[in-house]
Each structure stands twice: as C-alpha cells, then as structure tokens.
Amino acid sequence: MSSRMTIAELHEFILVQFPQVAGDFKIEGLGDGYARVRMLIGERNLRPGGTVSGPAMFSLADVSVYVCILSMIGPKALAVTTSCSMDFMRKPAARDLLAETRMLKLGKRLAVGDVLIHSEGQPKPVARATMTYSIPVASG
Amino acid sequence: MSSRMTIAELHEFILVQFPQVAGDFKIEGLGDGYARVRMLIGERNLRPGGTVSGPAMFSLADVSVYVCILSMIGPKALAVTTSCSMDFMRKPAARDLLAETRMLKLGKRLAVGDVLIHSEGQPKPVARATMTYSIPVASG
Amino acid sequence: MSSRMTIAELHEFILVQFPQVAGDFKIEGLGDGYARVRMLIGERNLRPGGTVSGPAMFSLADVSVYVCILSMIGPKALAVTTSCSMDFMRKPAARDLLAETRMLKLGKRLAVGDVLIHSEGQPKPVARATMTYSIPVASG
Amino acid sequence: MSSRMTIAELHEFILVQFPQVAGDFKIEGLGDGYARVRMLIGERNLRPGGTVSGPAMFSLADVSVYVCILSMIGPKALAVTTSCSMDFMRKPAARDLLAETRMLKLGKRLAVGDVLIHSEGQPKPVARATMTYSIPVASG
C-alpha cells in the first residue's frame, strides 16, 4: 500500500488543522504505515537546564501518528486522540527531536501507532509513546 | 500532614521552573496529597473547532502532579516525569480546564498521581491522566 | 440510572464468559457507573514472598470494568478490552483484593473505567488501572 | 554487551521465581537488550470463542521484560513491575504467543522494555506492551 497523500499535501493539511504548531514539524519520510517527523526545537519548547518539555514531546508523538493515519486514509480531519501512554527515558538535549512512527493497527474504528523519539545525534531514545485514535465512521 | 509550601510559594516556584507556561496555571486548592489547578485557556491552546489541544491537557496534568509533589516534599526542582498515561473522553469546550489531583503514592524513589480534568461548567470529565515522577535521591 | 442487571445476574453471566476464573470474583456492590469487586486470593495467585501476582491484579481490573459496563448496558458478551494502563504502587499482602471501579465514559463505541485496588485491611492502594473497552455496534 | 545468563540459567531462575507459571514460557532467543519468548497456550489461558485471555498476554509481557532485565544485570530476584501500558489490537487465535522484547532503558533505578506480541502464524501483532521495572538499589 502506498501513501494516499504526499509529504507536501500532508504539510498543507496539518497547517490548516494545527495552525499554531504546524511550523514546528517537518515530515522527513513516509512509508507503508511509517512516518519520520522532525520537531524543530526553539526557545518556547525548552525548560531551564536546556531540555525539551514533556508537552513538546507529547505534541510530536500526537502529530506523528496523525500524519501516519492521514497518509493511509487520506485527508480526513476528524480522527481524534482517545488515549496515550508515554515513557520518558532520558533528558533530551536542546536539539531537534526525531520521531519514528509505525502503525500497529488501522481498523475501521481505532488506530494504534507506536512512536520512538530521539534527540538528534544521540543514539539512545529519549521517549516512547503509543497513541490511539478514533476513526470517524463513514467519513469520506 | 499539612502542606510544606503555601499556594503563593508554589506559584513562585513554578514561575522559575516553567517560565514559559507558569502564567497559564492557577492553584486553587491544596490538601493532603491533593491539588486543584486551573488552566487559563487562551487562543494558543485552542484547535480549530474551538477545542483545547491534547498537549495543553498533558501540560495541565503534568504541572498538577508536580505541584502536588512539591506541596508534600518542599521546594525541590529535580523531580522528573518518567511516565504518563492519558485518556481523552470528551472534547473540551473553549473554556478553562480544572484538574483535580490526588497522590496515590509518594515513595522515596517514585511518586504516582492521578488527575481528573473537567472543562469548566461541564459535569462529565474530559480527560484523565496518571503521571509518574522520579524523586531525586538524597535531595534537599 | 439504575443497574440493568442484578448482582446475581452478573455473577451468572461472568460464569459463562470466564468459566476458568469467574469463581475468583465476587461483586459486592453496584451503583450508578460504579462497582466494587472482591478477588478471592488463593495459592494460584501468589508469588514467592506471599504477594499477589501482577496478572491477578490485571485480571481483577479487567473483570471489574467489564462488570460495570454490563450493569449499564445489559448482558452483551461482545465488549472487548482495547487498552489498559496500570501502576503498581505497593506490594499486596497475601489477602483478598478489593477493586472500586467508576466509569469515566460509556460512549457508543468506547467505554473507559478507572479502578483502584486495595489489599484487604491496608489503607493505601496497591494498584490503579484504567481499562478501555470497545462496545459492539448495534448489539442487542 | 553479551548476556550475563544463558537461556538455561534463565529458565531455572524463573522456575524458582514464578513456580506456578514458569512452565508456560520458553525463551527462544536472547540478544543485546533483546529477548524472544514463547507462551505455550493451553485450555487454562483460553476464553470462550477460542481466544487467549488478556491476563495471559499481560503475563507474557511481564515475564519477557523480566527475562530481558535478568539477562542484562544477572540473577537478582528483586526487580518489581511498577507500571504497564498495553494495547490489544486483534483477537489472538488459540495458538502459542510469541513476544519480542527490546529494552529501551536500563538505568540504575528504572528499566523500560517494549514488547510486541504475535499469535503464531499471524503476520499482524495482537498486542503491544511497555513494562517499567524498579531495579533494586545496590543489589547483588
């Protein structure tokens, strides 16, 4: 199965859905149930000590799974996050974050995606997340 | 056990720890292993359709448990979030969010807090979260 | 809203659904979106050191939310667990466990229940869980 | 880093720690922060309809991460599960389950492992889990 939206189309779609934050994210790769997304880290995402905030990492995981779902089902704005689990393993440096997402399930009602987040240039992951989305019925 | 910090002291402490977001939160009640925190919702926290973003709710849950821990152990800046689970039950309205937190555990190494989030004026909760913090060794 | 099944009806229904484990559970209270369930702890649920196993606690949380959903929607065998988060706060003693469940959401498609588990006679909770169930479409 | 225990040593160790369930599990592969564990499914793990129970899958995830930690730190009986998140994506068939675990973190205090569970012979995963263990201080 190939992607139903190009990276350019996805960037445009996210810009409409998440106007306040879309500029923070850059899709760098798309595959079959897979996405690689960069989060551009700036002052607003940092905490004292030069580490990236938890909400920033949540935001990256959330957008990454959303992008992955869109690439599989096409531009439907209604999928909503229903649950999330995250583990924060290491303090990220004050650098961009890179998220690799693979979809574990894309059902008629629920989608489940797993995300592994690295701080650019560090070999060990800083966080992991699983996000569950509810898929709108008969949307289309 | 009474609180080891007043609401005013907690507000000051958070302002130093989370300067970018501290103004969004207002502690409205403190008890024994309990905190009630308001999140002031503005344009930056909204999504199209007039609902509050997931990262904003994550941020509220995170700060609420942090406040609760501080009120129990005193001003120690080093506790870090190690894991989080959240469920998003209903779309919040474009109004302030209210979080009620109770600590389930405050051990020497780990603290676990449960958070229930309401949209002001709505009877049913919009989200729940459990946040786990690692407590610094021999701090203080 | 009153319960759509009595405690006796629920016990019978569970016996058919979970024949291997139904004897371990005893519903002790039912309310509006609330259930209190006892797990009878025996040798098979214990670990060396006289503590109750994690899978036993998972099982109690799972059954408790299931019972709560059944009491609200009536005898439908098809609800399935879609996700779970648990935190294990303290080692349970080798005694019965008591679970208090309250439903946070009972939607058309998803149900979310929160469970707090105590070891009988101990004031502080040993574990917490949130279980999400998928509700069958047009079942009935 | 090579494993500090052989598969035979791990099987023996688990037999002492989990006497009631050790016979259900067979370690089939070990690597650097990696383990592959089979769960032998029998009548006791099944539910009506011929599917494997949730507690059985929880148990497999829990043992798998434990095995992985032991292979990295050596035979220490004290690591305890502190939290868990699981997603159940598909109904497993009435066949053995295979769990692939990779450790995301093995710190001085906390270990985090990710588990993907397949039903033997089915290409898509039936469940995923993240288990967090607390590592005993200065043990051994």
Side-chain angles (χ1 to χ4, degrees):
Chain A
M1 179 174 134
S2 61
S3 179
R4 299 180 62 164
M5 297 178 76
T6 63
I7 287 180
E9 286 167 346
L10 285 163
H11 277 141
E12 250 179 80
F13 192 81
I14 290 169
L15 191 58
V16 175
Q17 295 299 312
F18 306 99
Q20 298 101 325
V21 297
D24 295 356
F25 302 104
K26 196 179 153 202
I27 304 166
E28 298 195 330
L30 269 189
D32 185 7
Y34 169 85
R36 178 182 158 99
V37 178
R38 172 185 295 266
M39 185 171 199
L40 305 162
I41 297 300
E43 197 55 44
R44 78 209 163 286
N45 307 123
L46 296 180
R47 288 277 183 273
T51 191
V52 180
S53 77
M57 289 187 270
F58 176 96
S59 173
L60 172 56
D62 200 26
V63 165
S64 295
V65 174
Y66 192 62
V67 158
C68 227
I69 296 172
L70 289 175
S71 78
M72 296 169 88
I73 67 172
K76 294 173 186 170
L78 301 166
V80 292
T81 311
T82 55
S83 72
C84 154
S85 69
M86 288 193 82
D87 294 273
F88 303 95
M89 276 98 63
R90 295 169 186 90
K91 280 208 172 182
R95 289 185 223 137
D96 284 1
L97 295 176
L98 299 169
E100 304 215 70
T101 299
R102 58 186 170 149
M103 294 307 294
L104 297 180
K105 175 176 183 169
L106 179 63
K108 281 182 200 158
R109 304 168 83 192
L110 279 181
V112 181
D114 240 1
V115 187
L116 199 59
I117 299 178
H118 281 81
S119 195
E120 190 166 36
Q122 284 185 271
K124 296 192 174 178
V126 295
R128 65 150 293 282
T130 305
M131 312 291 295
T132 303
Y133 273 77
S134 179
I135 306 290
V137 181
S139 63
Chain B
M1 179 174 133
S2 61
S3 178
R4 299 181 61 165
M5 297 178 76
T6 64
I7 288 179
E9 285 166 347
L10 285 163
H11 277 142
E12 251 180 79
F13 192 80
I14 289 169
L15 192 59
V16 175
Q17 294 299 311
F18 307 100
Q20 298 103 325
V21 296
D24 295 356
F25 302 105
K26 197 179 153 204
I27 305 165
E28 298 194 330
L30 269 188
D32 185 8
Y34 169 86
R36 179 183 158 99
V37 178
R38 173 185 296 265
M39 184 171 199
L40 305 162
I41 297 300
E43 196 55 43
R44 78 210 162 286
N45 307 123
L46 296 180
R47 289 276 182 274
T51 190
V52 181
S53 77
M57 287 187 271
F58 176 96
S59 172
L60 171 57
D62 200 26
V63 165
S64 295
V65 174
Y66 192 62
V67 158
C68 227
I69 295 173
L70 289 176
S71 79
M72 295 169 87
I73 68 173
K76 294 171 187 173
L78 301 165
V80 292
T81 312
T82 55
S83 72
C84 154
S85 69
M86 288 193 81
D87 293 272
F88 302 95
M89 275 98 63
R90 294 167 186 91
K91 281 208 172 183
R95 289 184 225 137
D96 284 0
L97 295 176
L98 299 169
E100 304 214 69
T101 299
R102 58 185 171 153
M103 294 307 295
L104 297 180
K105 175 178 182 168
L106 179 63
K108 281 182 198 157
R109 305 168 82 193
L110 279 180
V112 181
D114 241 0
V115 187
L116 199 59
I117 300 178
H118 281 80
S119 195
E120 190 165 36
Q122 284 185 271
K124 296 193 174 178
V126 295
R128 64 149 296 280
T130 305
M131 313 291 295
T132 304
Y133 272 77
S134 179
I135 305 291
V137 181
S139 63
Chain C
M1 181 174 131
S2 62
S3 178
R4 299 181 60 164
M5 298 178 74
T6 64
I7 287 180
E9 286 167 346
L10 285 164
H11 278 141
E12 251 179 78
F13 192 81
I14 291 169
L15 191 59
V16 175
Q17 294 299 310
F18 307 99
Q20 297 104 323
V21 297
D24 296 357
F25 303 104
K26 198 181 153 202
I27 305 164
E28 297 194 332
L30 270 188
D32 185 8
Y34 168 86
R36 179 183 158 99
V37 178
R38 172 184 296 265
M39 184 172 200
L40 305 162
I41 297 301
E43 196 56 43
R44 77 209 164 286
N45 306 124
L46 296 180
R47 290 277 184 272
T51 189
V52 181
S53 77
M57 287 186 271
F58 176 95
S59 173
L60 172 56
D62 200 25
V63 166
S64 296
V65 175
Y66 192 62
V67 158
C68 227
I69 296 173
L70 289 175
S71 78
M72 295 169 87
I73 68 172
K76 294 172 187 173
L78 302 165
V80 292
T81 312
T82 55
S83 73
C84 153
S85 69
M86 288 193 81
D87 293 273
F88 303 96
M89 275 98 64
R90 295 168 186 89
K91 281 209 171 183
R95 288 184 225 139
D96 285 0
L97 294 176
L98 300 169
E100 304 213 72
T101 299
R102 60 187 168 149
M103 293 308 295
L104 297 180
K105 176 179 182 167
L106 179 63
K108 281 182 198 158
R109 305 168 83 191
L110 280 180
V112 181
D114 241 0
V115 187
L116 199 59
I117 300 179
H118 281 81
S119 195
E120 190 166 35
Q122 286 184 270
K124 295 192 174 178
V126 295
R128 65 150 295 280
T130 305
M131 315 290 296
T132 304
Y133 273 77
S134 178
I135 306 291
V137 181
S139 63
Chain D
M1 178 175 134
S2 61
S3 177
R4 299 180 61 164
M5 297 178 76
T6 64
I7 287 179
E9 285 167 347
L10 285 164
H11 277 141
E12 251 179 79
F13 191 81
I14 290 169
L15 193 58
V16 175
Q17 294 300 311
F18 306 99
Q20 298 103 324
V21 297
D24 295 357
F25 302 104
K26 197 179 154 204
I27 305 165
E28 297 195 331
L30 270 188
D32 185 6
Y34 169 85
R36 179 182 157 100
V37 178
R38 173 184 295 265
M39 184 170 201
L40 305 162
I41 298 300
E43 197 56 43
R44 77 208 162 288
N45 306 123
L46 297 180
R47 288 277 184 274
T51 190
V52 181
S53 77
M57 288 187 270
F58 175 96
S59 173
L60 172 56
D62 199 26
V63 165
S64 295
V65 174
Y66 192 62
V67 158
C68 227
I69 296 173
L70 289 175
S71 79
M72 295 170 88
I73 68 172
K76 293 171 188 172
L78 301 166
V80 293
T81 311
T82 55
S83 73
C84 154
S85 69
M86 288 193 82
D87 293 273
F88 303 96
M89 276 97 63
R90 295 168 186 89
K91 280 208 171 182
R95 289 184 224 138
D96 284 1
L97 295 176
L98 299 169
E100 304 214 70
T101 300
R102 59 186 169 148
M103 293 307 296
L104 297 180
K105 174 176 184 169
L106 179 63
K108 281 181 199 158
R109 304 167 84 192
L110 278 181
V112 181
D114 240 0
V115 187
L116 200 59
I117 300 178
H118 281 81
S119 195
E120 190 166 35
Q122 285 184 271
K124 296 193 174 177
V126 296
R128 65 150 296 281
T130 304
M131 313 290 297
T132 303
Y133 272 77
S134 178
I135 306 291
V137 181
S139 64

